Amino acid sequence: MKALDLQPRGILREHRNSDASGSCAILVGAGSPAKRPAQATEFPLADHLADLAVEALIDEADLSPKPGLVDRRGNGAHHDMTLALMHASALALWPCLRNMAEAAQAIGTLGQPLRATLGQLGREGEAVMLAATGGVNTHRGAIWALGLLVASKALDTQADTNTLAARAGRIALFDDPAMTTQDSHGLQVRRRYGTGGAREQAQQGFPAVIGHGLPQLQRSRAAGASEPHARLDALLAIMAVLNDTCVLWRSGPAGLAAVQHGARTVLSEGGSATLAGRRQLRRLDQHLLHLNASPGGAADLLAACLFLDKAGSL
Ligand SMILES: CC(C)(COP(=O)(O)OP(=O)(O)OC[C@H]1O[C@@H](n2cnc3c(N)ncnc32)[C@H](O)[C@@H]1O)[C@@H](O)C(=O)NCCC(=O)NCCS
Ligand SMILES: Nc1ncnc2c1ncn2[C@@H]1O[C@H](COP(=O)(O)OP(=O)(O)OP(=O)(O)O)[C@@H](O)[C@H]1O
């Protein structure tokens, strides 16, 4: 049994691998388990995965200072979003994410039926998001990435991060017959610039997260950076490599080059925990606001990275 400390919210839980019924035995108590007796409760796995996914969304939104993005300081390059709207959207998505995990448990195998069910639940989740935000796209890319990852973990609770991401990619490779070919911003950008987007990133097993975000998160922690700095560094590592269709849509290839180069510069100056790195981060933030660029796809993948960081070691 191992401890998972969900500070700073002050919730302390101990997790044990789920049993055959798909429940986690979780000990929930306030403060140190050595000092206070904890109460054992049966907690459905799907609920727990939805908790972790929503927590990842809220942690991503709260993380500050993120260049161009909505955070605790303000709305970044976005005129139609606030931090409160991001929180409301994240919390509204809990049932959708729980339903995705439950569907994966019920179906039990990788395949087209699971993909079709997740597609249906994902579209319902998008509708819930739009209702909660008055029509603003706060988490479309995140529903996609976290939905696949939650389903992947629900299929095999023993899987580590690499296996989880690879299996999520295999789910994304199945066709969803009910998917409409709507003219999304991502689709238009892919047509115009011939680049991959959210779909391809998932189908390839989230290489920006597995190859860049997670390793940077671990490197920065190991170098002694605080958790917020390690998470900012992980975001920057993703921004440095991602063909983010949000950035391309708003500011074209010049904006994408500025995002990637600026993120690389912060990291090469020592990352967000250093004075030199923070100076570059401020410069990048100002540059992105000037370009009206916002790395929304990278933000979604940071949430995926934070989810994998916790779910991979359950
Ligand atoms: C595949 C999706 C993401 C649509 O993508 P598309 O590129 O067409 O649309 P859109 O412009 O709305 O982009 C979606 C979002 O992805 C994020 N994103 C942008 N670039 C990237 C990237 N390179 N990698 C990852 N995410 C990215 C951004 O936040 C963006 O807003 C998805 O929303 C979808 O198909 N939804 C239908 C319902 C469904 O099947 N759900 C499955 C649930 S598991
Ligand atoms: N902290 C954040 N701030 C801004 N965007 C974020 C944040 N976290 C994630 N995102 C992602 O960025 C996307 C929103 O960016 P943007 O408004 O540029 O996208 P869009 O799809 O072009 O939307 P719209 O139709 O409103 O123009 C959302 O899909 C969301 O998942």
Side-chain angles (χ1 to χ4, degrees):
M1 194 181 284
K2 60 193 161 206
L4 176 62
D5 188 353
L6 295 183
Q7 302 293 348
R9 283 184 185 75
I11 304 164
L12 192 111
R13 292 178 175 157
E14 287 186 11
H15 306 282
R16 153 172 104 208
N17 288 327
S18 64
D19 60 22
S21 69
S23 292
C24 284
I26 296 181
L27 304 180
V28 182
S32 155
K35 291 184 190 144
R36 296 174 196 221
Q39 296 170 323
T41 54
E42 278 297 306
F43 201 68
L45 174 69
D47 289 25
H48 184 51
L49 294 177
D51 276 350
L52 289 184
V54 169
E55 179 169 67
L57 290 176
I58 290 186
D59 285 350
E60 180 274 302
D62 285 347
L63 186 67
S64 308
K66 296 191 300 288
L69 291 157
V70 177
D71 66 14
R72 283 187 188 277
R73 296 169 308 159
N75 306 344
H78 296 267
H79 301 294
D80 54 358
M81 283 192 217
T82 61
L83 185 59
L85 205 64
M86 300 299 292
H87 283 181
S89 167
L91 295 170
L93 289 173
W94 191 91
C96 160
L97 292 158
R98 193 262 324 269
N99 291 345
M100 286 173 164
E102 270 184 351
Q105 283 182 292
I107 293 171
T109 50
L110 277 177
Q112 215 257 326
L114 176 59
R115 174 67 188 92
T117 303
L118 292 178
Q120 178 58 32
L121 293 171
R123 283 184 290 277
E124 286 169 20
E126 288 178 12
V128 166
M129 170 193 80
L130 294 174
T133 63
V136 179
N137 167 20
T138 40
H139 283 122
R140 184 147 197 255
I143 296 170
W144 168 247
L146 286 172
L148 291 165
L149 291 170
V150 158
S152 173
K153 183 70 181 179
L155 282 179
D156 176 7
T157 56
Q158 307 289 322
D160 62 12
T161 50
N162 288 2
T163 313
L164 275 181
R167 186 183 297 106
R170 289 175 61 200
I171 302 173
L173 280 168
F174 288 100
D175 278 337
D176 176 8
M179 185 187 268
T180 53
T181 49
Q182 54 170 327
D183 217 12
S184 66
H185 290 167
L187 197 63
Q188 292 179 53
V189 160
R190 292 202 302 281
R191 268 203 305 266
R192 197 176 313 155
Y193 303 112
T195 164
R199 202 176 316 247
E200 291 78 5
Q201 177 65 214
Q203 288 173 339
Q204 291 163 13
F206 298 97
V209 178
I210 294 298
H212 300 271
L214 269 172
Q216 183 66 57
L217 185 68
Q218 285 151 3
R219 268 199 306 278
S220 293
R221 282 174 180 162
S226 69
E227 185 60 19
H229 285 134
R231 291 177 179 186
L232 279 172
D233 289 351
L235 172 67
L236 290 158
I238 294 169
M239 286 166 59
V241 297
L242 193 71
N243 286 325
D244 192 325
T245 60
C246 287
V247 177
L248 281 166
W249 171 257
R250 285 161 157 264
S251 55
L256 187 63
V259 167
Q260 294 184 343
H261 179 260
R264 244 177 252 133
T265 305
V266 181
L267 290 173
S268 67
E269 288 288 325
S272 66
T274 69
L275 269 180
R278 279 205 291 279
R279 202 166 290 142
Q280 292 299 336
L281 185 55
R282 257 196 320 275
R283 191 172 291 177
L284 175 60
D285 189 36
Q286 283 156 10
H287 194 191
L288 295 198
L289 294 183
H290 174 71
L291 294 171
N292 190 37
S294 173
D300 293 331
L301 292 179
L302 175 67
C305 181
L306 298 178
F307 174 80
L308 277 172
D309 182 50
K310 286 188 177 155
S313 57
L314 279 185

